[in-house]
Amino acid sequence: MKQVVNLEKTISKLKSKVDMAVELAVKDRLEKIAVYTIDISTPTVDTGAYITSFSYGVGAGRPRGKSSEGRPKEQDKVSMATKGLSNLLNDINSIQDFNYTDTIVLRNGSPHAMDVEKGGPDWRLTQPYNIFTRVRNKYG
């Protein structure tokens, strides 16, 4: 005697639970990276162009990028940080399917992003902020 057990429904339910757990874990990690990035970028705020130019990219597409040219200086750091974080959280929420996404890129399309990262003689500060280096050191 034998009994055939169909596991299709069980496997399907388990796959669904695993997929949901993976999505939640990835979103949580992306949110932590976003919060950390904005936190360490807040001291850079002058016009707000840099901190509001961060984006998460999936595949091809144009990065968010704002120029500081012509923008008022000495903007409220908290307000600009809130806007920058909101942009990143919206990017996370717009990702359709984490099962088919194997690369998500944190980027900053501001024209002066390299100056903020690396500093240098033509930059208002000679010491670099190393935002991306610090994010990479903390999150890999």
Side-chain angles (χ1 to χ4, degrees):
M1 186 170 160
K2 69 178 180 176
Q3 175 66 40
V4 176
V5 178
N6 187 343
L7 298 175
E8 189 174 334
K9 287 183 182 179
T10 303
I11 291 171
S12 179
K13 285 181 184 178
L14 287 173
K15 281 184 180 179
S16 179
K17 286 181 181 181
V18 167
D19 289 346
M20 181 60 77
V22 167
E23 182 173 329
L24 290 174
V26 170
K27 280 186 174 185
D28 182 62
R29 177 100 166 162
L30 291 173
E31 287 172 9
K32 286 178 180 170
I33 292 169
V35 167
Y36 178 71
T37 301
I38 296 301
D39 283 349
I40 65 174
S41 298
T42 300
T44 71
V45 172
D46 183 25
T47 65
Y50 178 79
I51 202 165
T52 59
S53 291
F54 283 105
S55 60
Y56 277 122
V58 179
R62 204 175 114 145
R64 183 178 293 113
K66 296 174 175 70
S67 173
S68 59
E69 185 129 352
R71 295 178 83 138
K73 296 191 178 290
E74 298 180 13
Q75 292 293 309
D76 180 62
K77 292 179 185 296
V78 173
S79 174
M80 291 294 122
T82 300
K83 186 173 182 182
L85 181 58
S86 177
N87 287 342
L88 287 172
L89 295 178
N90 286 337
D91 291 345
I92 294 167
N93 290 328
S94 71
I95 298 171
Q96 297 295 316
D97 192 349
F98 287 93
N99 291 318
Y100 298 103
T101 304
D102 47 353
T103 302
I104 298 171
V105 180
L106 174 66
R107 52 192 176 185
N108 189 302
S110 171
H112 58 287
M114 284 303 290
D115 293 331
V116 173
E117 183 71 13
K118 302 291 182 191
D122 295 334
W123 182 236
R124 62 186 165 95
L125 299 172
T126 57
Q127 292 299 312
Y129 281 100
N130 295 312
I131 303 297
F132 284 92
T133 301
R134 291 162 65 190
V135 170
R136 186 174 32 259
N137 287 345
K138 182 166 180 148
Y139 290 100

